Amino acid sequence: MKVIDHINNAKETIFSFEILPPLKGQNIGEIYQTIDSLMEYNPPFVNVTYHREEVVYKQMPGGLLEQKVIKKRPGTVGICAAIQNKYKIDAVPHILCGGFNREDTENALIDLNFLGIENVLALRGDCIKGETYFKAEKDGHAFAADLVKQIYEMNEGVYLDEELQNRTPSNFCVGVAGYPEKHFEAPSLNNDIAHMKAKIDAGAEYITTQLFFDNEKYFKYVEKCRAAGITVPIIPGIKPIATKKHLSILPHFFHVDLPDDLVTAVEACNDNKEVRQVGIEWAINQCKELKKAGVPVLHFYSMGKVDNIQSIAREVF
């Protein structure tokens, strides 16, 4: 079933979460353990991230450096198929602009459609580590709105090869990412929302937000989106803080602010066990307020560890 149908058919707030593909060389068992531990909260869909290639430089005999492109977490398509087959719930793979040209994108979508996967989250993606700005692949997409457009053209039976015979329309529901505190590259929140409107106009059916720790920022973001004519569901993304290092890591990598009360509580902790409990309690309060406000879904970013998400879900669902 499509994510938008799950939302429209739900009588109360849905529980969902995101998982990381295993590192190269590992197997799917860890993912199964993660999903098994959260199935009691009846997630109708699970997001599966995709991580673009990384560039590393290895020193060769003679001192010269050789550039190598590596992928640390392969297997998103196969993982999604395995999840749907084993758990009978919908998997939502991430589809990126970064690292893909339009033909690569079409081939990935053909595979997903063949496997009966009806949902994708369309993202521009980050730039390659070491590069300052995002660079699109040759004949690739520079913006998520253009990626959404390509997906919906396939939904209408329009493929890149105009001479392709027996073209069957795909049937994807497309979600996109939103940023309550604005995308870090956007000059303003209003400008960022204008770009969001372009993604919705291209065919996106729902928004999943970046993690945040202040519900007021989410509520104001929704209000601004509605004022801009964006009517699709806006799913809040939740990530419980778990270590003292998160005080610097989360603002650095996700460009989010942490409320002073949360920072003070974390700094007062003696160890990360105490920090983890502070993060759980903060997220429980966040989620209860969001659920009371009638959000369509509470979507959790697991980052591979879910015991704290279990504790939160136990109190909220």
Side-chain angles (χ1 to χ4, degrees), residues 53-244:
E53 76 282 0
E54 295 183 12
V55 174
V56 297
Y57 293 89
K58 293 195 172 183
Q59 190 167 10
M60 304 300 292
L64 294 176
L65 294 177
E66 180 183 47
Q67 179 177 300
K68 293 195 69 176
V69 176
I70 60 172
K71 289 189 176 180
K72 290 186 175 180
R73 297 182 184 271
T76 297
V77 173
I79 290 168
C80 287
I83 289 171
Q84 293 203 166
N85 180 65
K86 180 176 175 65
Y87 295 98
K88 311 306 178 188
I89 61 176
D90 288 295
V92 185
H94 291 189
I95 298 291
L96 307 184
C97 297
F100 288 79
N101 60 36
R102 291 193 303 155
E103 185 174 358
D104 294 332
T105 297
E106 182 173 279
N107 289 336
L109 292 168
I110 287 171
D111 286 346
L112 293 169
N113 188 53
F114 179 79
L115 292 166
I117 294 167
E118 297 182 315
N119 301 283
V120 294
L121 191 71
L123 308 166
R124 190 201 70 176
D126 298 324
C127 59
I128 293 177
K129 288 183 179 180
E131 291 186 351
T132 304
Y133 301 104
F134 178 85
K135 294 179 182 178
E137 296 295 312
K138 184 178 179 181
D139 196 33
H141 299 302
F143 303 102
D146 297 323
L147 175 57
V148 174
K149 183 179 178 182
Q150 180 179 359
I151 297 168
Y152 269 88
E153 285 178 346
M154 278 188 60
N155 280 355
E156 295 171 357
V158 178
Y159 286 71
L160 296 177
D161 183 357
E162 296 179 358
E163 297 180 0
L164 185 67
Q165 300 294 315
N166 303 315
R167 287 177 288 180
T168 302
S170 55
N171 188 34
F172 291 111
C173 170
V174 182
V176 290
Y179 300 86
E181 299 176 58
K182 88 172 183 64
H183 191 280
F184 73 99
E185 293 178 6
S188 70
L189 181 57
N190 286 338
N191 176 269
D192 194 30
I193 289 173
H195 286 287
M196 174 59 70
K197 183 65 163 57
K199 291 190 279 189
I200 303 305
D201 290 345
E205 296 184 65
Y206 68 95
I207 300 165
T208 300
T209 77
Q210 174 68 282
L211 57 90
F212 60 91
F213 295 90
D214 182 350
N215 285 353
E216 247 343 276
K217 292 184 177 180
Y218 167 81
F219 292 134
K220 288 180 180 178
Y221 178 72
V222 173
E223 185 180 327
K224 282 181 171 288
C225 283
R226 300 302 182 229
I230 296 170
T231 60
V232 302
I234 302 177
I235 299 171
I238 304 296
K239 163 65 179 161
I241 198 165
T243 70
K244 280 198 174 185

Side-chain angles (χ1 to χ4, degrees), residues 19 24 68 191 212 222 251 259 262 264 269 276 280 307 314:
I19 58 174
K24 200 171 181 180
K68 293 195 69 176
N191 176 269
F212 60 91
V222 173
L262 177 57
T264 300
C269 292
R276 202 166 186 82
I280 288 169
D307 61 295
R314 194 177 297 121

